[in-house]
Amino acid sequence: MNLGRFRHYTDWHHHVNGREYDAPADPWKLLSVSPDDVTYYNDELRLNWGLGRVQGGDWDGEENCRPFRETTLYRGLEQRFEDGRDWEETALYRWAEEQFESGGTVRGYENLAEFRTVRCEYIDELFRRIDREGYRPNEEAAHEKATDDNPFEDAYANHLEPLVVIGRDGEVYWTEGNHRFAIASILDVDVIPVYVLCRHENWQAVRDRLHGTPREELPSELEAYLGHPDVRDVRPE
């Protein structure tokens, strides 16, 4: 999958949504999301089918969502940057070590030594830059790749802002861009820009109702969503 095909799929979703919904979102619209407001991680949906999808089903069910701050990645970065541990003492490094020992690869790296000297050093530098300069969107930091000769590190998703999905009740779940999200959370960054990979069809129905209901006629259950970052395009403050 390359970025061009990803954009093609995104354009197709935008076309379909414009015909089916009253308040379709611009798929390239960035939301400003606070890491503090995101609790769970959800990886039930394919990443390579483009942005802005609307999909029903139980992909946002409790059984498919994990507390993000309990994931190996988050715990590993927390141990590294909050506890000051050596990489070799972190949960993330130990997980990578197990993958290599079982004959696998990690993010395109072929061995643990390469992962340590390239990927871990990159994460250290990314943390230092965000800490020193503030959080910068991926577009502005496109040169910040771990390596130029690793196809995984140059994958289409790494050229995008982090991705979220929005469940039926409006809850925002993290799904891609996990290192940036974890670092932003550890550094208490107020908000970061994200793209919406997919909205649950029930949440899209909420957007449609907010779009079509006069302010003075909004029922209380809709008023509760007025501060949501994904309704500012249909109900500007």
Side-chain angles (χ1 to χ4, degrees), residues 196-208:
V196 178
L197 182 72
C198 184
R199 294 170 176 83
H200 196 280
E201 63 181 6
N202 291 19
W203 174 247
Q204 181 60 48
V206 170
R207 285 176 49 87
D208 288 349

Side-chain angles (χ1 to χ4, degrees), residues 1-15 27-28 47-51 139 156 159-161 195:
M1 170 64 70
N2 58 42
L3 191 57
R5 184 172 292 276
F6 185 85
R7 289 182 179 275
H8 172 75
Y9 287 150
T10 298
D11 290 343
W12 186 83
H13 293 307
H14 189 41
H15 172 73
W28 296 105
L47 298 177
N48 60 354
W49 283 353
L51 300 174
E139 183 177 359
Y156 69 94
H159 294 273
L160 302 170
E161 301 307 324
Y195 287 123

Side-chain angles (χ1 to χ4, degrees), residues 128-195:
R128 286 191 292 267
R129 288 193 181 192
I130 294 176
D131 188 27
R132 183 175 61 245
E133 303 170 8
Y135 188 93
R136 293 189 295 160
N138 256 343
E139 183 177 359
E140 298 176 19
H143 60 284
E144 295 178 359
K145 291 189 296 183
T147 178
D148 291 326
D149 59 0
N150 181 333
F152 189 99
E153 297 287 18
D154 199 36
Y156 69 94
N158 294 328
H159 294 273
L160 302 170
E161 301 307 324
L163 306 179
V164 301
V165 294
I166 303 180
R168 69 191 68 204
D169 297 322
E171 183 153 7
V172 177
Y173 302 99
W174 214 259
T175 194
E176 179 60 34
N178 303 321
H179 294 82
R180 286 180 170 270
F181 171 72
I183 290 173
S185 179
I186 291 169
L187 288 173
D188 293 322
V189 174
D190 289 338
V191 295
I192 64 175
V194 302
Y195 287 123

Side-chain angles (χ1 to χ4, degrees), residues 73-91:
L73 184 145
Y74 192 92
R75 289 190 295 108
L77 297 193
E78 191 174 45
Q79 290 163 347
R80 174 64 173 170
F81 300 121
E82 288 196 348
D83 301 342
R85 299 189 192 183
D86 292 337
W87 274 112
E88 290 77 4
E89 299 175 347
T90 67

Side-chain angles (χ1 to χ4, degrees), residues 12-33:
W12 186 83
H13 293 307
H14 189 41
H15 172 73
V16 171
N17 292 344
R19 300 183 57 163
E20 294 191 2
Y21 303 108
D22 295 329
D26 177 354
W28 296 105
K29 176 192 69 172
L30 287 168
L31 303 189
S32 294
V33 170

